[in-house]
Amino acid sequence: MSKQTVRDLDVKGKKVLVRVDFNVPQAKDGEVADDRRIRAALPTLKDVLDRGGSLILVSHLGRPTGDPAKDEPFRLNKVADKLAELIGRPVKKVNDTVGPEAEAAAKELKPGGILVLENVRFNKGEKKGDPEFAKKLASLADAYVNDAFGTCHRDEASMVAVPEQFPADHRGIGFLVEKELKILDTLLANPKSPYVAVMGGAKVSDKILVIENLLKQVDKLLVGGAMTYTFLKAQGHSVGNSRVEADKLDVAKHVLELAGSKLVLPVDHLIADKPAADAQIKVVEGPTIPDGWFGMDIGPKTIELYAKIIKDAGTVVWNGPMGMFEVEAFAKGTKAVAQAMADSPAVTAVGGGESAEAVEKFGLAEKVSHVSTGGGAFLESLEGKSFNSLGVIPDVK
Ligand code: ADP
Ligand code: MG
């Protein structure tokens, strides 16, 4: 079973409200610092335009406070400029999401036209999922498309109450959401074995539900990053000054028991006398980090071990950097895992804010099967959750 998509909708001469996720990182001057999420929506947007429809685009950006004096940086003006540049067509931007200005602009929209509405979170009704706000927003368009994968785990108005305003055969998902769901289906329901999960990043506690759910399926769970030290400490080893969640040792113990021999911990570590670029560094083997030292990355033997397992896999899912990759001296493990995924014949998927950023930074994003555009939505999907935003889009056979 799959979801009705934009492909299934009659868009000719129609105004299509597309909920996109243009919640992009911004530079200090407000310019779009990374346009990956805008580029990811282009196939859906072009499809509607090519088939004679027009676009009304809705997104949030950041966390507006509700105080107009502070919220200027959260306007979508720069995002609209970036979209115009990427899509090569004029884009009209208005300063409200609903209300007279938005209504007038929507009314004037001609086939091939693109209208970007203001940051939807400027309206209190968005977060509340308010049906009155949803009605006003929906009244601007003839059909609804959800291509905002990064927001699919939220029940905000533009994700749930707005599509509910349209007849079922006027709702669909976009190509980006379709692609994300397809890879999730592979990871959750149809993985090719051997199935390997690579988990790293800051905290075990953030990832516990993902780990528990993936353990039901995977053949191996390779651990890296700071969460390593919570596991090692839970096993009774000393971890020096490494980052540890001291109050999560029982959780770590529970995971270790549950996982048994599936869970693989680093066999060596890159350690530093401080977590900084100018630190003194060395490699230690075994599970003990000397007093006064910080575990900052997986070591060379672990890199070799993990790379081999990844290259021999049928499916690999990765979340969480192997070390503090933002500092060059501690980036080797993360880079090597990204490279092994790129070189592996397996289906390879990466998700999570910093993990996706790392793969992009190393120039390997095009070499893995999929880099998810959703941090939270990707992780919650791996936890096995289903989303209301997708529940309101009809299934097709
Ligand atoms: P993601 O956003 O991909 O889900 P997380 O948010 O869980 O990943 O973790 C990413 C952060 O973990 C990175 O900023 C990285 O610096 C940090 N990190 C990874 N390994 C270590 C470590 N050994 N010590 C300190 N911080 C680490
Ligand atoms: Mg993160």
Side-chain angles (χ1 to χ4, degrees):
M1 208 155 56
S2 50
K3 292 278 164 196
Q4 189 159 282
T5 72
V6 60
R7 229 183 265 116
D8 303 310
L9 305 182
D10 169 22
V11 301
K12 189 166 188 213
K14 301 277 168 33
K15 293 171 182 159
V16 183
L17 191 159
V18 184
R19 178 45 162 108
V20 284
D21 185 348
F22 287 170
N23 182 30
V24 293
Q26 292 174 283
K28 280 215 175 66
D29 58 2
E31 293 294 335
V32 174
D34 177 354
D35 61 11
R36 194 165 73 99
R37 283 182 160 173
I38 304 177
R39 282 186 281 119
L42 293 179
T44 297
L45 307 186
K46 284 182 179 159
D47 179 68
V48 171
L49 298 175
D50 289 348
R51 291 194 289 135
S54 57
L55 293 167
I56 300 177
L57 304 184
V58 174
S59 180
H60 71 283
L61 175 63
R63 296 176 193 272
T65 60
D67 173 357
K70 289 188 186 146
D71 285 348
E72 275 307 303
F74 300 113
R75 289 194 182 278
L76 284 174
N77 299 32
K78 301 277 187 197
V79 168
D81 291 347
K82 187 47 120 185
L83 173 63
E85 181 192 318
L86 291 172
I87 205 164
R89 287 177 188 246
V91 170
K92 181 164 172 67
K93 153 80 183 31
V94 289
N95 290 317
D96 207 349
T97 319
V98 292
E101 196 191 339
E103 278 166 31
K107 208 169 187 178
E108 277 169 28
L109 204 55
K110 300 278 180 314
I114 307 174
L115 171 63
V116 172
L117 301 178
E118 190 53 275
N119 188 341
V120 66
R121 284 197 186 158
F122 279 18
N123 305 76
K124 286 204 180 72
E126 170 67 357
K127 278 253 170 197
K128 282 193 232 152
D130 177 20
E132 286 311 310
F133 169 65
K135 244 179 225 160
K136 280 191 208 153
L137 186 50
S139 73
L140 302 177
D142 305 303
Y144 174 92
V145 171
N146 173 354
D147 213 19
F149 181 71
T151 321
C152 278
H153 57 318
R154 309 245 180 238
D155 285 343
E156 295 170 5
S158 63
M159 300 302 298
V160 182
V162 170
E164 280 175 335
Q165 295 294 321
F166 293 85
D169 59 350
H170 289 52
R171 309 174 196 167
I173 54 170
F175 298 127
L176 171 62
V177 170
E178 184 185 42
K179 193 167 146 222
E180 297 266 8
L181 294 182
K182 205 167 153 197
I183 197 91
L184 283 165
D185 183 64
T186 303
L187 298 178
L188 291 163
N190 296 300
K192 193 168 158 243
S193 65
Y195 186 7
V196 176
V198 187
M199 297 292 300
K203 298 180 185 168
V204 184
S205 53
D206 282 351
K207 311 289 169 76
I208 181 74
L209 296 173
V210 176
I211 294 175
E212 282 180 349
N213 199 40
L214 285 177
L215 276 175
K216 294 179 201 153
Q217 306 243 27
V218 297
D219 300 296
K220 284 261 176 288
L221 178 83
L222 312 180
V223 172
M227 70 161 76
T228 302
Y229 305 103
T230 304
F231 283 120
L232 288 177
K233 186 149 178 125
Q235 287 181 331
H237 303 291
S238 3
V239 295
N241 286 343
S242 307
R243 186 164 171 183
V244 164
E245 285 178 279
D247 58 338
K248 292 291 177 322
L249 298 181
D250 50 338
V251 174
K253 271 186 199 141
H254 164 73
V255 171
L256 287 166
E257 262 165 44
L258 196 72
S261 60
K262 282 185 182 179
L263 192 140
V264 185
L265 286 166
V267 293
D268 59 353
H269 310 265
L270 185 84
I271 62 172
D273 61 351
K274 56 182 170 186
D278 60 345
Q280 201 186 322
I281 58 174
K282 62 182 181 185
V283 171
V284 286
E285 293 190 9
T288 306
I289 307 299
D291 286 348
W293 290 75
F294 296 75
M296 298 310 300
D297 194 6
I298 56 176
K301 289 202 169 144
T302 308
I303 287 179
E304 209 175 304
L305 175 71
Y306 286 8
K308 168 129 182 57
I309 296 172
I310 290 167
K311 284 178 193 163
D312 292 342
T315 309
V316 186
V317 57
W318 176 27
N319 166 260
M322 296 289 98
M324 195 194 261
F325 76 97
E326 294 89 342
V327 175
E328 182 62 33
F330 313 133
K332 277 201 193 80
T334 305
K335 212 183 243 175
V337 162
Q339 188 66 54
M341 287 187 69
D343 295 342
S344 175
V347 173
T348 48
V350 184
E354 270 87 18
S355 313
E357 188 191 310
V359 174
E360 288 274 335
K361 185 173 151 184
F362 304 142
L364 294 169
E366 311 302 322
K367 302 248 163 66
V368 295
S369 311
H370 185 69
V371 181
S372 179
T373 53
F378 183 75
L379 289 177
E380 286 193 23
S381 301
L382 292 183
E383 288 171 9
K385 285 195 184 131
S386 51
F387 302 141
N388 294 327
S389 64
L390 297 173
V392 299
I393 308 291
D395 293 319
V396 290
K397 272 182 226 97

